[in-house]
Each structure stands twice: as C-alpha cells, then as structure tokens.
Amino acid sequence: MKDKGKYLSISKAAKLAGVSTQSLQYYIMVGLIKPAMVTETNRRLFDDKTIERVRLVKKLNKSGYPLRAIRELFLAGR
C-alpha cells in the first residue's frame, strides 16, 4: 500500500476541485476519473493529478462539451 499522507478523501478532493461530492462520484461512475488509490476498507482516495483532471472536466463541460464527449476524448488519449 502506498503512503496515504498525500491522498485526499472524496469530500476534500471535491472541495479542492470545485465540484460537489456527488459530481465526483458521478465522474467515477461514468469513467471520467478513477481514484488514485482504494484502501483495504474500500475508501476512495485522490491525488493532485486526479483533482486536476476533475478541474479539466469541469472547464470542458462549462465550455459546452457534454460529459460523454469528454469521456471519449480521454479514451482517445487526447
């Protein structure tokens, strides 16, 4: 298991990314993001890279891209 000191809970990650916890959970469900780490007790933890990705999703969505199109861009590696 990696050092948990640099990982954030879902509520703290959502706050730093500027989205609700429910939005973050939805992004996980539809495959836009993945937790950086899942503990033995199934707590999802997030790192800075994941938070930046959430911010990018939020910006793209606000600029008119639907979440489905954003997911396709990520899957294509763009």
Side-chain angles (χ1 to χ4, degrees):
M1 182 186 300
K2 296 179 185 175
D3 175 31
K4 288 191 272 186
K6 60 184 176 179
Y7 295 100
L8 301 169
S9 67
I10 194 166
S11 61
K12 289 180 183 176
K15 186 175 182 176
L16 279 175
V19 298
S20 67
T21 302
Q22 292 83 3
S23 292
L24 200 57
Q25 291 170 336
Y26 183 73
Y27 292 170
I28 295 167
M29 186 179 76
V30 298
L32 286 167
I33 63 165
K34 294 179 185 176
M37 180 180 159
V38 179
T39 68
E40 294 159 357
T41 58
N42 287 325
R43 276 190 75 203
R44 295 168 291 186
L45 300 175
F46 302 87
D47 60 5
D48 291 337
K49 185 178 176 183
T50 308
I51 292 168
E52 286 303 315
R53 187 170 177 135
V54 172
R55 289 177 180 153
L56 177 60
V57 168
K58 184 179 172 184
K59 283 181 187 178
L60 289 170
N61 191 239
K62 277 191 167 189
S63 68
Y65 282 91
L67 293 177
R68 182 177 291 175
I70 297 168
R71 183 176 178 270
E72 293 301 319
L73 286 172
F74 287 168
L75 288 175
R78 297 184 185 162

